[in-house]
Amino acid sequence: MKILLQNGFALLCGLFLGGIVNMALVTAGPHVFPPPPGVDMSDVKSLNESVQLLRAQHYVFPFLAHALGTLAGAMVAGFIGTTRSPLLSYIVGVFFLVGGVTAAFMIAAPVWFIALDLVVAYLPMAWLAGILVQRVRSRPRALAAGA
């Protein structure tokens, strides 16, 4: 039961931290690449009405937010979880993927961005997080065995 609770806590922490990273980058994006005049990047209606005014640079931070938010959240879940850390990382990735699919239906965006975002930003980042967590966790044992 303790393992189940710790893994559940790991998932919640991963989703929470991943969400914070995501929102921080989405919020920072318009400061780095200002939107065209009259476009409110925080308003879905404004985005949908003005999507044709946005250029590729305006999609950099949303993509980074999705990819790095998923990576951070999946790594946190993997590190906090007691067992099955790659599975925990993938679960976080799936949660963020569901959010990405939902956003793709709600917010108008070019097909190239939706495809890139859904294919690269979620499950591959969860996979990478799982690999990184495993490598870091195995490193002390490898160093101790060599010494």
Coordinates of all heavy atoms in Angstrom, one line a residue, residues 81-141:
G81 N 8.7 8.3 -7.7 CA 8.1 7.0 -7.7 C 9.1 5.9 -7.2 O 10.3 6.0 -7.4
T82 N 8.5 4.9 -6.5 CA 9.4 3.9 -5.9 C 9.7 2.8 -6.9 O 10.8 2.2 -6.9 CB 8.8 3.3 -4.6 OG1 7.5 2.7 -5.0 CG2 8.6 4.3 -3.5
T83 N 8.8 2.5 -7.7 CA 8.9 1.4 -8.6 C 8.3 1.8 -10.0 O 7.6 2.7 -10.0 CB 8.2 0.1 -8.2 OG1 6.8 0.4 -8.0 CG2 8.7 -0.4 -6.9
R84 N 8.7 1.1 -11.0 CA 8.2 1.4 -12.3 C 8.3 2.8 -12.8 O 7.3 3.4 -13.3 CB 6.7 0.9 -12.4 CG 6.6 -0.6 -12.1 CD 5.1 -1.0 -12.2 NE 4.9 -2.3 -11.8 CZ 4.8 -3.3 -12.7 NH1 4.8 -3.2 -14.0 NH2 4.6 -4.6 -12.2
S85 N 9.4 3.4 -12.6 CA 9.6 4.8 -12.9 C 9.3 5.1 -14.4 O 8.8 6.2 -14.7 CB 10.9 5.4 -12.4 OG 12.0 4.7 -13.0
P86 N 9.8 4.2 -15.3 CA 9.4 4.6 -16.7 C 7.9 4.6 -17.0 O 7.4 5.4 -17.7 CB 10.1 3.4 -17.5 CG 11.2 2.9 -16.6 CD 10.7 3.1 -15.2
L87 N 7.2 3.7 -16.3 CA 5.7 3.7 -16.5 C 5.1 4.9 -15.9 O 4.2 5.5 -16.5 CB 5.1 2.4 -15.8 CG 3.6 2.3 -15.8 CD1 3.1 2.3 -17.2 CD2 3.1 1.2 -15.0
L88 N 5.6 5.4 -14.8 CA 5.1 6.6 -14.2 C 5.4 7.8 -15.2 O 4.5 8.7 -15.3 CB 5.7 6.9 -12.9 CG 5.4 5.9 -11.7 CD1 6.2 6.2 -10.5 CD2 3.9 5.9 -11.5
S89 N 6.6 7.8 -15.8 CA 6.9 8.9 -16.7 C 5.9 8.8 -17.9 O 5.5 9.9 -18.4 CB 8.3 8.7 -17.2 OG 9.2 8.9 -16.1
Y90 N 5.7 7.6 -18.4 CA 4.7 7.5 -19.5 C 3.3 7.9 -19.2 O 2.6 8.6 -20.0 CB 4.7 6.1 -20.1 CG 5.7 5.8 -21.2 CD1 6.7 4.8 -21.0 CD2 5.7 6.5 -22.3 CE1 7.6 4.6 -22.0 CE2 6.6 6.3 -23.3 CZ 7.6 5.3 -23.1 OH 8.5 5.1 -24.1
I91 N 2.9 7.6 -18.0 CA 1.6 8.1 -17.5 C 1.4 9.6 -17.5 O 0.5 10.1 -18.0 CB 1.2 7.5 -16.1 CG1 1.0 5.9 -16.3 CG2 -0.1 8.1 -15.6 CD1 0.9 5.2 -14.9
V92 N 2.5 10.2 -17.0 CA 2.5 11.7 -17.1 C 2.4 12.2 -18.6 O 1.7 13.1 -18.9 CB 3.7 12.3 -16.4 CG1 3.9 13.8 -16.6 CG2 3.6 12.0 -14.9
G93 N 3.2 11.5 -19.4 CA 3.2 11.9 -20.8 C 1.8 11.7 -21.5 O 1.4 12.5 -22.3
V94 N 1.1 10.7 -21.1 CA -0.2 10.4 -21.6 C -1.2 11.5 -21.2 O -2.0 12.0 -21.9 CB -0.7 9.0 -21.3 CG1 -2.2 8.8 -21.6 CG2 0.1 8.0 -22.1
F95 N -1.1 11.9 -19.9 CA -2.0 12.9 -19.4 C -1.7 14.2 -20.2 O -2.7 14.9 -20.6 CB -1.7 13.2 -17.9 CG -2.6 12.4 -17.0 CD1 -2.1 11.2 -16.4 CD2 -3.8 12.8 -16.6 CE1 -2.9 10.4 -15.6 CE2 -4.6 12.1 -15.7 CZ -4.2 10.9 -15.2
F96 N -0.5 14.6 -20.4 CA -0.2 15.8 -21.1 C -0.6 15.6 -22.6 O -1.1 16.6 -23.2 CB 1.3 16.2 -21.0 CG 1.6 16.9 -19.7 CD1 2.0 16.3 -18.6 CD2 1.4 18.3 -19.7 CE1 2.3 16.9 -17.4 CE2 1.6 19.0 -18.5 CZ 2.1 18.3 -17.4
L97 N -0.5 14.5 -23.2 CA -0.9 14.2 -24.5 C -2.4 14.4 -24.7 O -2.9 15.1 -25.6 CB -0.6 12.8 -25.0 CG -1.1 12.4 -26.4 CD1 -0.5 13.3 -27.5 CD2 -0.7 10.9 -26.7
V98 N -3.2 13.9 -23.7 CA -4.7 14.2 -23.7 C -5.0 15.7 -23.7 O -5.8 16.1 -24.4 CB -5.3 13.4 -22.5 CG1 -6.8 13.8 -22.3 CG2 -5.2 11.9 -22.8
G99 N -4.2 16.4 -22.8 CA -4.4 17.8 -22.8 C -4.0 18.5 -24.1 O -4.7 19.4 -24.6
G100 N -3.0 18.0 -24.8 CA -2.6 18.5 -26.1 C -3.6 18.2 -27.2 O -3.9 19.1 -28.0
V101 N -4.2 17.1 -27.2 CA -5.3 16.7 -28.1 C -6.5 17.6 -27.9 O -7.1 18.1 -28.8 CB -5.6 15.2 -28.0 CG1 -6.9 14.9 -28.8 CG2 -4.5 14.4 -28.5
T102 N -6.8 17.8 -26.6 CA -8.0 18.7 -26.3 C -7.7 20.1 -26.8 O -8.6 20.7 -27.4 CB -8.2 18.7 -24.8 OG1 -8.4 17.3 -24.3 CG2 -9.4 19.5 -24.4
A103 N -6.5 20.6 -26.5 CA -6.2 21.9 -27.0 C -6.2 22.0 -28.5 O -6.6 23.1 -29.0 CB -4.8 22.3 -26.5
A104 N -5.8 21.0 -29.2 CA -5.8 21.0 -30.7 C -7.2 21.2 -31.2 O -7.4 21.7 -32.3 CB -5.1 19.7 -31.2
F105 N -8.2 20.6 -30.5 CA -9.6 20.8 -30.9 C -10.1 22.2 -30.5 O -11.1 22.7 -31.2 CB -10.4 19.7 -30.3 CG -10.3 18.4 -31.1 CD1 -9.6 17.3 -30.5 CD2 -10.9 18.2 -32.3 CE1 -9.5 16.2 -31.2 CE2 -10.8 17.0 -33.0 CZ -10.1 16.0 -32.4
M106 N -9.6 22.8 -29.5 CA -10.2 24.0 -29.0 C -9.5 25.3 -29.6 O -10.2 26.3 -29.8 CB -10.0 24.1 -27.5 CG -10.8 23.2 -26.7 SD -10.5 23.1 -24.9 CE -10.0 24.7 -24.5
I107 N -8.2 25.2 -29.9 CA -7.4 26.3 -30.4 C -7.0 26.1 -31.8 O -6.4 25.1 -32.1 CB -6.2 26.6 -29.5 CG1 -6.6 26.8 -28.0 CG2 -5.4 27.8 -30.0 CD1 -5.5 26.7 -27.0
A108 N -7.4 27.0 -32.7 CA -7.0 26.9 -34.1 C -5.5 27.1 -34.2 O -4.9 27.9 -33.6 CB -7.7 28.0 -34.9
A109 N -4.8 26.2 -34.9 CA -3.4 26.2 -35.2 C -3.1 25.6 -36.5 O -3.9 24.8 -37.0 CB -2.6 25.5 -34.0
P110 N -2.0 25.9 -37.1 CA -1.7 25.3 -38.4 C -1.5 23.8 -38.2 O -1.0 23.3 -37.1 CB -0.3 25.9 -38.8 CG -0.2 27.1 -37.9 CD -1.0 26.9 -36.7
V111 N -1.8 23.0 -39.2 CA -1.6 21.6 -39.2 C -0.2 21.1 -38.9 O 0.0 20.2 -38.1 CB -2.1 20.9 -40.5 CG1 -1.9 19.4 -40.5 CG2 -3.6 21.2 -40.7
W112 N 0.8 21.8 -39.4 CA 2.2 21.5 -39.1 C 2.5 21.5 -37.6 O 3.2 20.7 -37.1 CB 3.2 22.3 -39.9 CG 3.2 23.8 -39.6 CD1 2.5 24.8 -40.2 CD2 3.9 24.4 -38.5 NE1 2.8 26.0 -39.5 CE2 3.7 25.8 -38.5 CE3 4.8 23.9 -37.5 CZ2 4.2 26.6 -37.6 CZ3 5.4 24.8 -36.6 CH2 5.1 26.1 -36.7
F113 N 1.9 22.6 -37.0 CA 2.2 22.7 -35.5 C 1.5 21.6 -34.7 O 2.1 21.0 -33.8 CB 1.8 24.1 -35.0 CG 1.9 24.2 -33.5 CD1 3.2 24.3 -32.9 CD2 0.8 24.1 -32.7 CE1 3.3 24.4 -31.6 CE2 0.9 24.2 -31.3 CZ 2.2 24.3 -30.7
I114 N 0.2 21.4 -35.0 CA -0.5 20.3 -34.3 C 0.2 19.0 -34.5 O 0.4 18.3 -33.5 CB -2.0 20.3 -34.8 CG1 -2.7 21.6 -34.4 CG2 -2.7 19.1 -34.2 CD1 -4.1 21.7 -35.0
A115 N 0.6 18.7 -35.7 CA 1.3 17.4 -35.9 C 2.6 17.3 -35.2 O 2.9 16.3 -34.5 CB 1.5 17.2 -37.4
L116 N 3.4 18.4 -35.3 CA 4.7 18.4 -34.6 C 4.5 18.3 -33.1 O 5.1 17.5 -32.4 CB 5.5 19.7 -34.9 CG 6.8 19.9 -34.1 CD1 7.8 18.9 -34.6 CD2 7.2 21.4 -34.3
D117 N 3.6 19.0 -32.5 CA 3.3 19.1 -31.1 C 2.8 17.7 -30.6 O 3.4 17.2 -29.6 CB 2.2 20.1 -30.9 CG 2.1 20.5 -29.4 OD1 3.1 20.7 -28.7 OD2 0.9 20.5 -28.9
L118 N 1.8 17.1 -31.3 CA 1.3 15.8 -30.8 C 2.3 14.7 -31.0 O 2.3 13.8 -30.2 CB 0.0 15.5 -31.5 CG -1.2 16.5 -31.2 CD1 -2.4 16.1 -31.9 CD2 -1.4 16.6 -29.7
V119 N 3.1 14.7 -32.0 CA 4.0 13.6 -32.3 C 5.3 13.7 -31.5 O 5.9 12.7 -31.0 CB 4.3 13.5 -33.8 CG1 5.4 12.5 -34.1 CG2 3.1 13.2 -34.5
V120 N 5.8 14.9 -31.2 CA 7.1 15.1 -30.6 C 7.1 15.6 -29.2 O 8.0 15.2 -28.4 CB 8.0 16.1 -31.5 CG1 9.4 16.3 -30.8 CG2 8.1 15.6 -32.9
A121 N 6.1 16.3 -28.8 CA 6.2 17.0 -27.5 C 5.8 16.2 -26.3 O 6.1 16.5 -25.2 CB 5.3 18.3 -27.5
Y122 N 5.1 15.1 -26.5 CA 4.5 14.4 -25.3 C 5.2 13.0 -25.0 O 6.0 12.9 -24.1 CB 3.0 14.3 -25.5 CG 2.3 15.6 -25.6 CD1 1.9 16.1 -26.8 CD2 2.2 16.5 -24.5 CE1 1.3 17.4 -26.9 CE2 1.7 17.7 -24.6 CZ 1.2 18.2 -25.8 OH 0.7 19.4 -25.9
L123 N 4.8 12.0 -25.8 CA 5.3 10.7 -25.5 C 6.8 10.6 -25.7 O 7.5 9.9 -24.9 CB 4.6 9.6 -26.3 CG 3.1 9.5 -26.0 CD1 2.4 8.4 -26.8 CD2 2.9 9.3 -24.5
P124 N 7.4 11.2 -26.7 CA 8.9 11.1 -26.8 C 9.6 11.8 -25.6 O 10.6 11.3 -25.1 CB 9.2 11.9 -28.1 CG 8.0 11.7 -28.9 CD 6.9 11.8 -28.0
M125 N 9.0 12.9 -25.1 CA 9.6 13.5 -23.9 C 9.4 12.6 -22.7 O 10.3 12.5 -21.8 CB 9.0 14.9 -23.6 CG 9.3 15.9 -24.7 SD 11.1 16.3 -24.8 CE 11.4 15.7 -26.4
A126 N 8.3 11.9 -22.6 CA 8.1 11.0 -21.4 C 9.1 9.8 -21.5 O 9.6 9.4 -20.5 CB 6.6 10.5 -21.4
W127 N 9.3 9.4 -22.8 CA 10.3 8.3 -23.0 C 11.7 8.8 -22.6 O 12.4 8.1 -21.9 CB 10.2 7.9 -24.4 CG 11.3 6.9 -24.8 CD1 11.4 5.6 -24.6 CD2 12.6 7.3 -25.5 NE1 12.6 5.1 -25.1 CE2 13.3 6.1 -25.6 CE3 13.1 8.5 -25.9 CZ2 14.6 6.1 -26.2 CZ3 14.3 8.4 -26.5 CH2 15.1 7.3 -26.7
L128 N 12.0 10.0 -23.0 CA 13.3 10.5 -22.7 C 13.5 10.7 -21.2 O 14.5 10.3 -20.6 CB 13.5 11.9 -23.4 CG 14.8 12.6 -23.1 CD1 16.0 11.8 -23.5 CD2 14.9 13.9 -23.8
A129 N 12.4 11.1 -20.5 CA 12.5 11.3 -19.0 C 12.7 9.9 -18.4 O 13.5 9.8 -17.4 CB 11.2 11.9 -18.5
G130 N 12.0 8.9 -18.9 CA 12.2 7.6 -18.3 C 13.6 7.1 -18.4 O 14.2 6.5 -17.5
I131 N 14.2 7.3 -19.6 CA 15.6 6.9 -19.8 C 16.5 7.7 -18.9 O 17.4 7.1 -18.3 CB 16.0 7.2 -21.3 CG1 15.2 6.3 -22.3 CG2 17.5 7.0 -21.5 CD1 15.4 4.8 -22.2
L132 N 16.3 9.0 -18.8 CA 17.2 9.8 -18.0 C 17.1 9.4 -16.5 O 18.1 9.3 -15.8 CB 16.9 11.3 -18.1 CG 17.2 11.9 -19.5 CD1 16.7 13.3 -19.6 CD2 18.7 11.8 -19.7
V133 N 15.9 9.1 -16.0 CA 15.7 8.7 -14.6 C 16.4 7.4 -14.4 O 17.1 7.2 -13.4 CB 14.2 8.6 -14.3 CG1 14.0 7.9 -13.0 CG2 13.6 10.0 -14.2
Q134 N 16.3 6.4 -15.3 CA 16.9 5.1 -15.2 C 18.4 5.3 -15.1 O 19.1 4.7 -14.3 CB 16.5 4.2 -16.3 CG 15.2 3.6 -16.1 CD 14.8 2.6 -17.2 OE1 15.1 2.8 -18.3 NE2 14.2 1.5 -16.8
R135 N 19.0 6.1 -16.0 CA 20.4 6.3 -16.0 C 20.9 7.0 -14.7 O 22.0 6.6 -14.2 CB 20.8 7.2 -17.2 CG 20.8 6.4 -18.5 CD 21.5 7.1 -19.6 NE 21.4 6.3 -20.8 CZ 21.7 6.8 -22.0 NH1 22.1 8.0 -22.2 NH2 21.5 6.0 -23.1
V136 N 20.2 8.0 -14.2 CA 20.7 8.6 -13.0 C 20.6 7.6 -11.8 O 21.5 7.6 -11.0 CB 19.9 9.9 -12.7 CG1 20.1 10.4 -11.3 CG2 20.2 11.0 -13.8
R137 N 19.5 6.9 -11.8 CA 19.3 5.9 -10.7 C 20.3 4.8 -10.7 O 20.7 4.3 -9.7 CB 17.9 5.3 -10.7 CG 16.9 6.2 -10.2 CD 15.6 5.6 -10.0 NE 14.7 6.3 -9.2 CZ 13.4 6.0 -9.0 NH1 12.9 4.9 -9.5 NH2 12.7 6.8 -8.2
S138 N 20.8 4.4 -11.9 CA 21.7 3.3 -12.0 C 23.2 3.8 -11.8 O 24.1 3.0 -11.6 CB 21.6 2.6 -13.4 OG 22.0 3.5 -14.4
R139 N 23.4 5.1 -12.0 CA 24.8 5.6 -11.9 C 25.5 5.3 -10.5 O 26.6 4.9 -10.5 CB 24.8 7.1 -12.2 CG 26.2 7.7 -12.0 CD 26.3 9.1 -12.5 NE 26.5 9.0 -14.0 CZ 26.1 9.8 -14.9 NH1 25.4 10.9 -14.5 NH2 26.3 9.7 -16.1
P140 N 24.8 5.6 -9.4 CA 25.6 5.3 -8.1 C 26.0 3.8 -8.0 O 27.0 3.5 -7.5 CB 24.5 5.7 -7.0 CG 23.6 6.6 -7.7 CD 23.6 6.2 -9.1
R141 N 25.1 2.9 -8.4 CA 25.5 1.5 -8.4 C 26.6 1.2 -9.3 O 27.5 0.5 -9.0 CB 24.3 0.6 -8.7 CG 23.3 0.5 -7.6 CD 22.1 -0.4 -8.0 NE 21.1 0.6 -8.4 CZ 20.2 0.3 -9.2 NH1 20.1 -0.9 -9.8 NH2 19.3 1.2 -9.6

